[in-house]
Amino acid sequence: FGLENAVAIGQRIMDLTYIGKGELYGDHHPIINDSVEITRGWPQQKNQLASLLKNTRFLFTYDSYSNLNVEAVLCGAIPILLGGDKWTADEIDGGELGRLPVLRANEVDLSNPSIPDGFLDQYNDLRVQLIQRINQYNEQYPKDVALFGKKCSEFFLGQAAA
């Protein structure tokens, strides 16, 4: 997931709607007009999803706390959180990846969505910060796994791992 071979945001005309875990919080989730619904089963492959997101302007999502929102941002699409779930903005922004550059439904005219003035600068800054945090996690991960293994050995075997 990234911007390689992605269409520039100003040239993207496709929008997507995703319900995801939103179905757990209610039973009325209309597909946004002129958007394509994606599901947990379609597209089937991650590379297909990435290709779709690289051509997507907005991802309308009823699942505010989904990895799909992160993948959309990495591919340059703008998630629009439609709400209806139980997550607050503070809870969403307080996740381990930090604040994502998203719009909320009350910030956009859903009948004729457009990118608000000044939003793209904020979006790009937050996107760069997200990528930096992901890179830090990826760099730290092998060290954390090794430490976890050492602590498990010490706990279960009663000895320090070499």
Side-chain angles (χ1 to χ4, degrees):
F1 292 91
L3 291 179
E4 184 178 341
N5 299 320
V7 174
I9 189 68
Q11 298 173 343
R12 297 179 186 201
I13 58 172
M14 180 173 43
D15 297 326
L16 302 174
T17 297
Y18 179 63
I19 298 171
K21 291 185 295 294
E23 67 187 18
L24 301 175
Y25 306 111
D27 58 1
H28 182 68
H29 299 95
I31 306 305
I32 300 299
N33 287 343
D34 299 323
S35 72
V36 175
E37 182 182 10
I38 61 172
T39 67
R40 292 179 181 179
W42 184 85
Q44 290 184 345
Q45 304 295 322
K46 284 289 189 177
N47 64 333
Q48 295 168 330
L49 175 62
S51 180
L52 195 60
L53 290 170
K54 290 177 183 187
N55 289 279
T56 297
R57 179 179 59 153
F58 294 121
L59 169 67
F60 298 101
T61 178
Y62 292 96
D63 191 347
S64 300
Y65 211 83
S66 172
N67 192 58
L68 180 60
N69 300 333
V70 174
E71 294 165 338
V73 169
L74 293 176
C75 291
I78 300 171
I80 297 180
L81 308 183
L82 298 174
D85 53 24
K86 299 181 184 211
W87 301 105
T88 67
D90 287 340
E91 290 170 328
I92 294 166
D93 293 343
E96 70 180 344
L97 292 179
R99 184 173 173 213
L100 295 180
V102 300
L103 292 169
R104 289 175 170 75
N106 63 351
E107 299 174 309
V108 178
D109 176 2
L110 295 177
S111 65
N112 185 23
S114 62
I115 300 170
D117 291 339
F119 177 75
L120 282 182
D121 289 336
Q122 175 190 15
Y123 175 89
N124 289 325
D125 289 346
L126 289 172
R127 185 180 176 281
V128 166
Q129 293 170 24
L130 171 65
I131 291 169
Q132 290 170 343
R133 286 189 300 273
I134 289 171
N135 288 338
Q136 289 170 350
Y137 281 115
N138 288 339
E139 187 175 305
Q140 185 63 36
Y141 182 77
K143 298 171 193 169
D144 290 345
V145 170
L147 179 61
F148 177 75
K150 179 179 183 261
K151 289 185 180 268
C152 285
S153 292
E154 290 170 358
F155 181 81
F156 291 109
L157 302 175
Q159 59 190 24

